[in-house]
Amino acid sequence: MLAAVVARLANPDIHLAAYGSVTFPLIGILQAPILTLLSLSTTMSRDWDSFVKGRKIMFYLGGGLTLLYSLIAFTPLYDVVVRDLIGAPPEVIEPARLGMFVGLPWSFAVAYRRFHQGVLIRFEHSRAVTVGTLLRFVMDVVVLTAGFLVGSIPGTVLATLMMVFGVITDAVYVGLRVRPVLRYELRRAPPVDPPIGLKQMILFFIPLGITPLLNQLIRPIGSAALSRLPDPLMTLAVWPVISSLSFLIVTPGAALHEVV
């Protein structure tokens, strides 16, 4: 859907290449460690003390990755990463930079949403996770429709705005939905004996956080490889279309981890 809209805006090949080869891979790496906050919270949020310790990890990790995101997006470090390491075509460097500018809230919004989704799953309110995802999808459609009607928003910026508004909508809904669960169920849950220590929680989380990071590394590595092939602009423009279709096919299996 995103590719279909961007393809109908100005310079679609440049903006598809910028989003697919730079903006989305960088955002993907910067969010990777926080994706498994869902698993951490689902497993460890057994009582209020465990929840508070997990929430501390969420705040530190989300805040730290947001700071790292700022350094990459708003400092000369961007040129080092995109121009020197990835080797992106010159045409996509500035459009991708604009996409990075508007994606700043992404990391923390994902961290907040994933951690509190874990609480909902832990206390058997998984249907609320589905509702939040549907609301996110509706917001995605609204943003893409508005961008298509306006017509003058650069495709890379529109794609990133869609992601940001969608995840913030989901995070706000999850934050509101989890409040009564925290107040009436988690606070009243019997304390875990023995208590789960913060160090134990961190050691549990580290391998989980590393796994999606390794998975996400394929995107910038792939961008670096494709940028050095003949006709890199067209190749990079096609890549997000193919990868999004592939991701759509494997999505049904993504939740098995938390279910098990």
Side-chain angles (χ1 to χ4, degrees):
M1 183 174 62
L2 169 63
V5 172
V6 174
R8 288 162 174 79
L9 300 176
N11 301 316
D13 52 346
I14 290 177
H15 288 287
L16 281 172
Y19 178 75
S21 67
V22 178
T23 307
F24 188 66
L26 290 181
I27 290 177
I29 283 185
L30 291 169
Q31 74 155 5
I34 58 183
L35 292 177
T36 48
L37 282 173
L38 177 62
S39 299
L40 174 72
S41 183
T42 303
T43 306
M44 296 293 189
S45 294
R46 305 176 189 177
D47 60 5
W48 185 252
D49 179 67
S50 302
F51 168 78
V52 170
K53 291 172 182 173
R55 187 174 59 183
K56 184 179 295 186
I57 295 175
M58 181 267 293
F59 274 114
Y60 278 117
L61 192 59
L65 288 173
T66 300
L67 177 60
L68 179 58
Y69 186 109
S70 302
L71 291 175
I72 293 177
F74 297 100
T75 72
L77 186 58
Y78 174 84
D79 294 299
V80 175
V81 172
V82 176
R83 197 186 309 272
D84 300 334
L85 296 181
I86 295 179
E91 301 94 327
V92 310
I93 292 176
E94 292 309 315
R97 191 194 304 266
L98 292 176
M100 291 294 293
F101 284 169
V102 300
L104 181 61
W106 175 262
S107 295
F108 192 82
V110 171
Y112 181 90
R113 175 180 66 98
R114 300 282 289 187
F115 181 75
H116 288 94
Q117 281 178 333
V119 177
L120 291 171
I121 295 171
R122 177 78 194 182
F123 288 88
E124 301 184 9
H125 299 281
S126 56
R127 185 171 297 180
V129 177
T130 304
V131 174
T133 304
L134 289 174
L135 291 174
R136 178 182 177 182
F137 180 76
V138 170
M139 179 56 70
D140 290 347
V141 173
V142 169
V143 172
L144 287 178
T145 302
F148 177 75
L149 294 176
V150 172
S152 59
I153 302 175
T156 309
V157 173
L158 178 61
T160 312
L161 284 175
M162 178 206 74
M163 293 172 55
V164 169
F165 277 104
V167 77
I168 289 177
T169 299
D170 195 353
V172 170
Y173 168 77
V174 168
L176 295 173
R177 181 63 180 80
V178 80
R179 284 183 179 181
V181 179
L182 297 178
R183 184 179 301 118
Y184 299 113
E185 297 184 54
L186 184 58
R187 278 189 177 273
R188 298 176 181 178
V192 175
D193 186 23
I196 301 173
L198 183 60
K199 181 180 178 181
Q200 177 186 353
M201 198 172 290
I202 293 173
L203 291 176
F204 174 82
F205 174 74
I206 287 174
L208 296 178
I210 291 175
T211 301
L213 180 62
L214 295 175
N215 290 335
Q216 290 292 335
L217 276 174
I218 190 60
R219 298 185 185 276
I221 291 173
S223 296
L226 297 178
S227 296
R228 289 162 173 80
L229 295 178
D231 198 7
L233 190 62
M234 187 59 64
T235 304
L236 291 170
V238 172
W239 194 33
V241 180
I242 297 174
S243 60
S244 61
L245 287 174
S246 302
F247 183 74
L248 186 64
I249 294 172
V250 304
T251 296
L256 289 176
H257 190 189
E258 279 68 38
V259 172
V260 174

